[in-house]
Amino acid sequence: MKRRSFLQAAAAAPITLPEFRPKSMLHVAEHPLARAKYPVIDVHTHLFGLGRKYAPDSVEAHAELATVAKTMEECNLQTLLNLTGGNSQTIPAIRKTMSQFGGKFLTAVEPTWSRASEPGYPQWQADELKKCKDQGAVAVKVLKTLGLYLREKGKLVAIDDPRFDPMWDAAGALDLPVLIHTGDPGAFFTPIDRFNERYEELQNHPDWSFYGRDFPQRSALHEARNRVAAKHPKTRFVYLHVGNDAEDLSAVSGWLDRYSNVQVEIGARLGELGRQPHTSRKFFERYQDRILFGTDATWDAGKEYPQQDLKPAMYRCYFRFLETEDEYFDYAPSEVPPQGRWRIYGIALPDAILKKVYHNNAAQMLRLKTV
């Protein structure tokens, strides 16, 4: 009777969801990888910007890049593209620091949205892109600021606002690909309730939710972005985070079929791609020439954003997903899955596709040497 009472008490003892740490009982083959099979170009990193408190040409900035360079050697990362490069006021200092590491680091330019309401902004921004390219910028990064944060007189500015047409055209004329982040995961546009698969993540970051208020539907954001791509066929667009619809690869496929000037990048979406391995592999096979490797890696993201922490452990999750047939493994180096409580499966891409995704697609876009 005593043992039965003890077992009943143990079974009845409640725990909270954050306390839940299940250990898998599966016994399956494991093939963790320390290095990528081919040299990698990561087109989506944040080495500067994002609230850094020191100057980009400071001793601290150089020390950070030196640490990152060691990670690159360890993991077979050839080139990292910094997307938060700012404008012509910041790019010279960024390039000065980067130049001390050979060709390991490149940077993009960002539109100066704070001037968007000024008279003459369209031509000024187009000219600014030319100036930044002359300073060494190789791409344009458009944050989700456009569509979700940029406002005029309290109203959100549309992604396809025609005043930005000269900027899109200038990017095409200057051969600067536009890497654009539009919207966010679908769960961020639904109620934060018991049905939301990213409930814990949104509990930790409630400001990431765009449900309600005056935010547009995610589909409306995507449609506006697609109209921009259609209107500017001579400009190359890279839809970051698998177009922020990795949960629906059929929709992404439709965009790629419709717009020949569009590519996608996979940063911070292993959690979606890896739980649909059969669909993902078919997607990679079909669009093998238009998928770029990216991670959204940020220096010292730490425990808060383990899926973006610029460390070897984060990169190795990508290598394992792309190169192996491993089953039910973590998509981020974290005790608790940061985006949702599930694990992923590898898609074991053949060498010919791996070379393209890891390196050659980005190399062709950035006019670098292929392997």
Side-chain angles (χ1 to χ4, degrees), residues 6-43:
F6 171 78
L7 293 175
Q8 288 176 331
I15 62 170
T16 63
L17 182 57
E19 294 173 317
F20 187 48
R21 299 286 194 278
K23 294 183 178 181
S24 174
M25 296 292 102
L26 284 179
H27 292 266
V28 291
E30 297 184 359
H31 305 90
L33 299 173
R35 291 169 57 83
K37 193 170 186 178
Y38 299 104
V40 172
I41 300 175
D42 186 342
V43 302

Side-chain angles (χ1 to χ4, degrees), residues 27 44 71-72 106 150 199-200 213 233 257 298 354 360:
H27 292 266
H44 190 172
T71 292
M72 295 173 70
L106 301 172
L150 182 62
Y199 175 83
E200 286 180 280
R213 291 174 285 175
D257 291 342
T298 303
L354 271 178
N360 287 345

Side-chain angles (χ1 to χ4, degrees), residues 238-301:
V238 178
Y239 290 1
L240 297 175
H241 306 296
V242 200
N244 259 315
D245 208 356
E247 307 93 324
D248 187 356
L249 293 181
S250 63
V252 181
S253 296
W255 304 334
L256 291 172
D257 291 342
R258 233 173 1 256
Y259 311 113
S260 61
N261 57 328
V262 168
Q263 296 173 286
V264 296
E265 170 270 353
I266 64 173
R269 294 300 178 266
L270 287 190
E272 277 73 43
L273 295 172
R275 53 180 167 147
Q276 49 180 327
H278 303 301
T279 300
S280 288
R281 177 164 172 132
K282 292 176 183 177
F283 179 79
F284 275 79
E285 289 172 345
R286 182 173 178 181
Y287 301 104
Q288 59 187 270
D289 297 314
R290 300 171 69 186
I291 300 173
L292 305 176
F293 183 93
T295 60
D296 203 7
T298 303
W299 169 258
D300 199 26

Side-chain angles (χ1 to χ4, degrees), residues 128-206:
E128 174 76 355
L129 294 190
K130 172 65 166 60
K131 186 174 182 179
C132 290
K133 179 173 182 176
D134 292 343
Q135 293 172 337
V138 299
V140 179
K141 168 62 189 293
V142 177
L143 294 162
K144 63 183 176 184
T145 299
L146 183 60
L148 287 173
Y149 293 109
L150 182 62
R151 294 176 181 269
E152 287 182 343
K153 298 180 179 179
K155 184 178 179 180
L156 286 165
V157 175
I159 295 170
D160 58 345
D161 189 307
R163 91 185 78 169
F164 306 135
D165 285 345
M167 177 182 69
W168 307 126
D169 285 336
L174 293 167
D175 195 25
L176 293 173
V178 177
L179 290 85
I180 182 168
H181 178 153
T182 301
D184 258 339
F188 292 10
F189 290 80
T190 60
I192 307 175
D193 58 20
R194 63 194 178 99
F195 300 108
N196 194 313
E197 66 177 2
R198 296 173 80 150
Y199 175 83
E200 286 180 280
E201 183 180 31
L202 289 167
Q203 283 287 309
N204 293 331
H205 305 282

